[in-house]
Structures are given as structure tokens and as C-alpha cells.
Amino acid sequence: MFVANNWKEYELIDASRGERLERWGDKILIRPDPQVIWDTPRSHSAWRSSDGHYTRSKSGGGSWDKTGLPESWGIRYGELSFRVRPMNFKHTGLFPEQAANWDWAMEKIRSAGRHIQVLNLFAYTGAATVACLAAGASVCHVDAAKGMVAWGKENAAASGVADGGVRWIVDDCAKFVEREIRRGRRYDAIIMDPPSYGRGPGGEVWRLEDNLWDFVSLCRGVLSDDPLFVLINSYTTGLAPSVLEYISESIFTRRYGGRSRSEELGLPVTESGLVLPCGASCRWERR
């Protein structure tokens, strides 16, 4: 398991009966999590004094009780800074388990001995973009949602890397990659966080299980002749990490050599000592 265990300003305090109890900076949130099917004692006092609580509705969706929260606030991870906002569908704009991948990508970039060009696809609010910029890479950040790209710019500014070599692109990721192939543009590393389901700006339907193989195959066309790494993330329930590894081995290792490793992502739970599984990642590296 890839465990994000270097946080100081985020903490998964406890997890029980379908919910997480989390500390985001100095704010305490309670959010639902379908993986938390165990029933451990909720003995921590913060269960009864949270600043924000997201509750699911029986009719679908849900809502925040967040009377004690500002609209947004800052949180740091080492040298990186991010803006956190409680959003619809329980999200905050940041997936703290991904810190394990930020650390890995930053180490790969810093030890490469050359300048690295990174393509970040389905880049969301740009945490991985900020991490790669802080490590000295240039980044092309692509997401179809204009608001998420704007949020990414906020995070880059908060981390002091907004003036780094970054291109902010609002576009359908597959169409953008197709154009980059035609333009002959190449990247040394690719990060992708494709959704389980989505629609493109033209109404195109994306289903991970139907489209991931073709999309990853397409992305091979924008890798440089000496690629550094490819990182594939998935939050699709029921998709085993080994599936990502088989895709990576078939597409990247077969052509470039190197190796793939795929694991669950995890967050340590302070109260119980458990590690909460939070999706899967596959890391391919040339050497």
C-alpha cells in the first residue's frame, strides 16, 4: 500500500460507521466514506464538536452543515500550500492520500539530472501540478472544468510556484492529447487521474472501464524518447490495482522497459491504527 504518512496539517483522526473524522488545519470535518464499514467506538470528542458535517440524503446527494466553517482556508504539506473548500458531493478540493504520490513524483523529478516536462491530465485543483513545479519541472495542466483550473492557479500561487513553467489548459483531455500528438509535442512524465464516469464538453461519455485502455494507449504517443514516469490514479470502486498494473506493463514496459508497481492508496487512522484504503495508483518508471 502507498501510505500518505507525512502529513502535519491533515489528520484522519478516526473512521467508523461509514464516516471519517478529519482535521484539516485547525478545522474538524466529518464526511461519509463507503469503505468504512467497521463499527469501532467513536470515543474521540471531536465526533461531537466538528466544524463541518456532510450528511448523505436518502434521496441522493447530500449537504453540508458547515456553520462553523469559512468559505475556504489554507493547508500545508511540507513546502506545498493548498486552498481547501467544502464542496458538493462531500469533497474539499484535495485528496490527502495523494501526498504519497506527490512525494514520489517530486523525488523522481529532483533525481532525474535533467529538466522534466510533465503532462498532468484530469488535473483537478492541481495538487500534483504544484508538487511537480516545486520539484523544478515544467507542467502542462489539463482539465475540462474551468473552475478547477482556476483553483489550481490559486494553489500554485499559494505555494509560490505560479511563475514556474506551467501551461493551464481547459480542454477535453483526450482531444488535447490528440492535438499534442499532431503538433509533435512530447513529455517526460504523465500523471492522470481519470474519473469513473464523466461527460466531455461536447456531450462525450467517459466510462473508465470502457475508455481507460484506449486513453492510456493514446497517451503513449506524447511520451518522449527517454520518459521518466507515468502515474495512473483510479477511484473506481471494484477496479483492482492489478488491472492498472497490467495496463501499464502492456503499454509502457513492453515498449520502454522499466517496471510498474500498483497498490492501494492509504491514510493512517490515528485512533485505531488502521489504514483506510482510498483508491489505487500505478507507478511506471523507466529506471
Side-chain angles (χ1 to χ4, degrees), residues 2-3 33 39 41 82 117 121 128 153 177 207 224 255 282:
F2 301 138
V3 181
D33 191 310
D39 185 355
F82 308 105
Q117 302 270 354
L121 299 167
K153 292 179 181 180
V177 171
R207 290 185 180 88
S224 67
R255 177 169 177 177
C282 181

Side-chain angles (χ1 to χ4, degrees), residues 63-82:
S63 61
W64 282 97
D65 176 4
K66 53 181 181 178
T67 54
L69 289 177
E71 180 180 348
S72 69
W73 65 96
I75 187 172
R76 291 188 59 84
Y77 180 76
E79 64 194 277
L80 312 178
S81 294
F82 308 105

Side-chain angles (χ1 to χ4, degrees), residues 191-245:
I191 299 170
M192 63 179 78
D193 197 350
S196 299
Y197 177 85
R199 287 188 177 273
E204 307 90 343
V205 175
W206 165 279
R207 290 185 180 88
L208 189 82
E209 61 271 26
D210 296 332
N211 298 108
L212 185 61
W213 172 268
D214 289 341
F215 182 76
V216 177
S217 298
L218 177 69
C219 289
R220 182 177 55 190
V222 292
L223 274 178
S224 67
D225 293 334
D226 187 17
L228 184 65
F229 69 81
V230 176
L231 173 62
I232 306 173
N233 293 304
S234 172
Y235 287 91
T236 300
T237 302
L239 185 69
S242 57
V243 172
L244 299 180
E245 186 166 332

Side-chain angles (χ1 to χ4, degrees), residues 117-119 138-140 142 167 169 176-188 190 218-225:
Q117 302 270 354
V118 178
L119 177 60
S138 297
V139 182
C140 181
V142 187
R167 298 164 62 206
I169 307 294
F176 177 79
V177 171
E178 289 170 351
R179 285 195 295 273
E180 291 290 85
I181 291 172
R182 292 196 295 269
R183 288 188 283 249
R185 197 184 298 270
R186 298 293 182 263
Y187 299 87
D188 305 300
I190 299 175
L218 177 69
C219 289
R220 182 177 55 190
V222 292
L223 274 178
S224 67
D225 293 334

Side-chain angles (χ1 to χ4, degrees), residues 81-223:
S81 294
F82 308 105
R83 298 303 298 176
V84 174
R85 294 188 184 96
M87 302 164 60
N88 293 337
F89 307 110
K90 78 177 182 179
H91 297 306
T92 63
L94 192 67
F95 292 88
E97 63 274 9
Q98 287 291 336
N101 284 328
W102 308 335
D103 290 340
W104 178 78
M106 293 174 77
E107 191 279 328
K108 295 293 294 182
I109 291 166
R110 284 173 170 157
S111 63
R114 57 191 169 101
H115 185 70
I116 299 300
Q117 302 270 354
V118 178
L119 177 60
N120 188 9
L121 299 167
F122 307 97
Y124 196 48
T125 61
T129 293
V130 169
C132 292
L133 288 169
S138 297
V139 182
C140 181
H141 172 113
V142 187
D143 197 278
K146 184 177 180 179
M148 296 299 103
V149 174
W151 196 336
K153 292 179 181 180
E154 286 185 53
N155 286 332
S159 294
V161 295
D163 295 329
V166 57
R167 298 164 62 206
W168 303 100
I169 307 294
V170 179
D171 202 349
D172 176 83
C173 288
K175 290 182 177 179
F176 177 79
V177 171
E178 289 170 351
R179 285 195 295 273
E180 291 290 85
I181 291 172
R182 292 196 295 269
R183 288 188 283 249
R185 197 184 298 270
R186 298 293 182 263
Y187 299 87
D188 305 300
I190 299 175
I191 299 170
M192 63 179 78
D193 197 350
S196 299
Y197 177 85
R199 287 188 177 273
E204 307 90 343
V205 175
W206 165 279
R207 290 185 180 88
L208 189 82
E209 61 271 26
D210 296 332
N211 298 108
L212 185 61
W213 172 268
D214 289 341
F215 182 76
V216 177
S217 298
L218 177 69
C219 289
R220 182 177 55 190
V222 292
L223 274 178

